[in-house]
Amino acid sequence: MVKLSDIVGRKDLDLEVVWPHRTSLRDRFLERNVDAASVSELSDPGPWLQGSELLMTIGLLLPDSEAGCRDYLHRVAKAGAAAVAIGLGAELPHQQVPDRLIEAAAAVRIPLLAVPQAVPFVAVTKAFVELRTEAERRGLEWALQAQRSITVAATRPGPVQSMVKAFSTAAAADAVVLDAAGHVSAAHGPGAGSLPELLGGQLARMRKQPGRSASIDFDGKVVREVHPLGIARPRAWLLIQRGTADSSRSGGVPGGSSAAGSVAGGSVPGGSSAAGSVAGGSVPGGSSAGGSVDDGVRDRTGSDSAQHRVVTAGLISLLSLELERRHAALEEVWRSGRDAFAELVSSTVDDGAALALLGRAGINPFPVLAGSHLESDTRPWGIFGPLSGRRVRVLALSQREPTPGQHHQLLAEDLASEFEGTLVSFDPAAVFLLIAHDDALSDRLTDLALERNLALGIGSVLRPGAARVSYQQARAALRLSLNSGQAETAAGDADFRQMLDLVSAERLGEFALSVLGPVIAIDDSDHSMLATLRAYIDQRGNQDASATVLGIHRHTVRNRIARIERATGRDLGAPDSRLNVALALHAYDHFPQQS
């Protein structure tokens, strides 16, 4: 990108800055970008300008009044011209810059240059072309060196962090890679710590638009980008923030700022952009932009250059390939784990057999079990660290609204990658995770379900050999979660109440009335019949225990139960009849107005 200061700095042109006069103000205005050098003698050249031009004129039709000059320069400035240069000469309309034009330039606040008689306009045009060619050459050299730096980083240990650091250093930018769950996996730059929060809203919108290509947002000083990483689908997200010439970090060079644009070199699968301000902050695994520069590469072209976008696209490609390589390496392990999960939940076995099955699948939820056959397995148990108990649970997750395609398979792959060491499986209805008992992990999965609007069912904590029971509980709790809108946990004797919560109050009231209506019809004002029926059900059909609870004679209980059986036509000695009455009493207690 060519700056106005580059053109003024050419000694062979000997251009004079007529306005502004003050050094500080002049330096600021001379930082304007120049995209073209044009000549026009029209009284209103505005319609023929595209923006960022150095407009040259001999002032053939220059107005005679200061007001007329202001109007002329106002139209030129409105069209986006970077500056105006007036040619002077003995045989030209003006031998010196008219005062009215200088006053007009100050009023409109557009730089005004004087071209001496010895310098033809074509010389200025040639100088601009030379400057632009040199800038493009430097830009190409920078892009090649930056690409080499990032490629070398891809071969180092920890390639994702190494590539992010190489890019951040070369481009004088902040960069962050988030995994599929939104956690920072690599970062570099002084403002990197704030990017996930600042761009969280845009990232959430991009998750809902997986087919959208990469874009860039520019607020006048800072460029911010969000790029999904992956070949067929997003497996991670790249966040970038870089300043323009006026705001870039040390090492950035004055150079321009065009607005949004797509990534050069074609669309990148799953790309996007975002905006937001930047605050300083540190990120685990990151580092500041200061210090040494990998391979001596710095952005000397302007942070919005086409070369910069090409380097960004190259980074996206290399990161995507690395993530796909990792995914392919884990795929076989994940498939083995899925088979182990299916076998583990197919029947209840002893704990030794369950642990042996986990070991054959390469899963070690209990690495501290000294002397076990799993002791030699050094794979970490995800984020949980050493655990001393032999307890597991199963969780089930599902999309609340039906989604076409392979949503559950994709979700299962994300969870298997994020929670390495867990058993993950899926079917058309849900995704299942078998995890070591850990409240923090359960809370984290609950938060994840809330963030992604997923239904979540949580099974009980049981021994490894009884994972099948926790699995069945998780499936049942998942169905409750789909209706309740919140995570549900298997809760023993509360399960039947959770089941009733799935039925509308009106239907429960109808059910209670159909079962208890005959009892209510023969009841006294003190509700003694209902009280006796309730005690009889609570005491599991034991008349003596019911009489003790009610404080009445057991014959009274026997007579009342006989009346109730005649009125309802039910044999309360039968388990099914007592179950129906128990459910009806629960519905009656919770929805008496419907009953």
Side-chain angles (χ1 to χ4, degrees):
M1 187 70 67
V2 178
K3 296 288 187 181
L4 186 57
S5 59
D6 298 330
I7 300 175
V8 172
R10 288 282 296 250
K11 294 182 179 181
D12 56 327
L13 298 180
D14 195 24
L15 302 179
E16 178 188 359
V17 180
V18 181
W19 189 90
H21 303 289
R22 289 190 293 114
T23 301
S24 59
L25 188 62
R26 180 182 62 195
D27 291 345
R28 182 163 63 86
F29 274 91
L30 292 185
E31 284 302 298
R32 290 186 172 186
N33 299 324
V34 178
D35 291 340
S38 305
V39 178
S40 175
E41 298 302 332
L42 297 174
S43 60
D44 181 13
W48 282 266
L49 299 177
Q50 295 182 337
S52 298
E53 294 94 350
L54 171 60
L55 178 65
M56 295 178 287
T57 178
I58 60 173
L60 185 63
L61 301 178
L62 190 68
D64 295 331
S65 66
E66 181 183 333
C69 289
R70 281 201 308 270
D71 183 62
Y72 168 77
L73 291 181
H74 176 74
R75 291 195 297 270
V76 171
K78 187 177 180 181
V84 174
I86 184 168
L88 307 176
E91 299 180 0
L92 298 179
H94 303 280
Q95 289 73 50
Q96 62 182 13
V97 182
D99 290 340
R100 64 184 185 277
L101 185 60
I102 298 175
E103 295 299 326
V108 177
R109 301 181 68 79
I110 184 171
L112 178 61
L113 311 181
V115 183
Q117 179 175 343
V119 179
F121 286 166
V122 67
V124 178
T125 301
K126 287 183 177 180
F128 166 76
V129 173
E130 291 174 1
L131 289 168
R132 186 174 63 181
T133 301
E134 174 62 17
E136 290 175 351
R137 183 191 65 78
R138 293 197 310 269
L140 180 59
E141 288 181 351
W142 171 82
L144 292 174
Q145 292 177 22
Q147 287 279 33
R148 178 182 179 277
S149 175
I150 296 170
T151 303
V152 170
T155 66
R156 296 171 180 165
V160 173
Q161 175 63 36
S162 296
M163 285 188 282
V164 167
K165 180 180 178 181
F167 170 81
S168 172
T169 304
D174 301 316
V176 175
V177 172
L178 303 179
D179 62 21
H183 302 112
V184 175
S185 58
H188 192 269
S194 63
L195 289 188
E197 180 178 356
L198 290 173
L199 304 185
Q202 181 68 14
L203 179 58
R205 290 191 291 272
M206 286 306 302
R207 288 182 184 275
K208 300 178 182 179
Q209 300 174 320
R212 184 177 173 184
S213 61
S215 63
I216 301 170
D217 184 89
F218 172 62
D219 66 3
K221 292 185 178 180
V222 179
V223 180
R224 299 181 181 92
E225 309 172 36
V226 177
H227 299 277
L229 301 174
I231 303 303
R233 55 178 292 261
R235 300 195 184 280
W237 301 86
L238 172 64
L239 313 183
I240 298 174
Q241 170 181 264
R242 47 193 175 88
T244 62
D246 296 332
S247 60
S248 60
R249 307 200 312 251
S250 62
V253 164
S257 59
S258 68
S262 61
V263 172
S267 63
V268 178
S272 172
S273 74
S277 62
V278 174
S282 62
V283 175
S287 61
S288 69
S292 62
V293 179
D294 288 356
D295 299 326
V297 182
R298 282 288 190 187
D299 183 356
R300 303 290 180 184
T301 66
S303 61
D304 70 320
S305 66
Q307 291 86 357
H308 194 293
R309 294 195 292 273
V310 169
V311 171
T312 301
L315 173 67
I316 292 170
S317 297
L318 288 173
L319 287 173
S320 296
L321 288 173
E322 172 61 20
L323 293 172
E324 293 295 342
R325 183 195 65 79
R326 291 184 180 185
H327 176 74
L330 288 173
E331 188 171 3
E332 187 62 33
V333 175
W334 178 72
R335 288 178 179 174
S336 176
R338 185 183 175 194
D339 293 341
F341 182 91
E343 185 174 348
L344 194 60
V345 301
S346 63
S347 61
T348 301
V349 297
D350 63 74
D351 291 348
L355 292 174
L357 181 61
L358 292 173
R360 289 195 299 272
I363 304 299
N364 182 7
F366 310 110
V368 299
L369 295 184
S372 75
H373 63 280
L374 296 175
E375 189 178 14
S376 61
D377 187 355
T378 59
R379 291 184 48 166
W381 174 246
I383 63 169
F384 317 130
L387 299 175
S388 58
R390 300 190 183 199
R391 310 285 280 177
V392 299
R393 78 185 328 160
V394 175
L395 299 92
L397 300 97
S398 177
Q399 189 74 16
R400 293 193 180 280
E401 298 179 0
T403 302
Q406 299 175 312
H407 170 78
H408 286 137
Q409 178 178 349
L410 300 181
L411 177 60
E413 291 176 0
D414 287 346
L415 294 174
S417 298
E418 181 180 359
F419 303 117
E420 183 180 353
T422 62
L423 279 181
V424 181
S425 186
F426 71 94
D427 62 22
V431 176
F432 304 96
L433 287 84
L434 184 142
I435 65 173
H437 172 43
D438 184 88
D439 290 335
L441 174 63
S442 297
D443 292 342
R444 182 175 170 186
L445 284 164
T446 300
D447 292 341
L448 182 146
L450 181 62
E451 292 171 3
R452 300 195 186 184
N453 192 31
L454 300 173
L456 172 63
I458 305 174
S460 297
V461 177
L462 300 169
R463 61 183 180 83
R468 177 174 182 268
V469 177
S470 185
Y471 165 73
Q472 292 172 332
Q473 291 175 334
R475 291 192 73 111
L478 179 65
R479 289 191 288 270
L480 296 174
S481 179
L482 285 168
N483 287 276
S484 68
Q486 60 187 12
E488 297 287 353
T489 303
D493 62 354
D495 285 350
F496 84 94
R497 295 180 177 86
Q498 293 175 338
M499 180 183 68
L500 291 181
D501 289 342
L502 302 179
V503 184
S504 68
E506 182 179 359
R507 294 296 300 273
L508 282 176
E510 294 174 354
F511 168 71
L513 185 60
S514 67
V515 176
L516 301 178
V519 181
I520 296 172
I522 63 173
D523 209 350
D524 299 325
S525 59
D526 59 358
H527 305 294
S528 59
M529 299 299 288
L530 274 178
T532 301
L533 179 59
R534 189 185 307 280
Y536 183 76
I537 295 300
D538 290 344
Q539 299 305 316
R540 302 171 184 170
N542 188 314
Q543 294 184 7
D544 290 343
S546 301
T548 301
V549 169
L550 295 171
I552 60 178
H553 197 276
R554 65 178 183 277
H555 290 169
T556 303
V557 172
R558 183 183 62 191
N559 292 335
R560 289 178 181 176
I561 294 300
R563 288 186 62 194
I564 290 172
E565 287 181 334
R566 289 194 297 272
T568 60
R570 297 179 182 274
D571 177 8
L572 296 182
D576 287 349
S577 294
R578 289 204 301 273
L579 175 61
N580 278 319
V581 171
L583 294 175
L585 287 169
H586 176 75
Y588 181 80
D589 290 341
H590 285 75
F591 306 101
Q593 64 275 20
Q594 278 79 16
S595 303

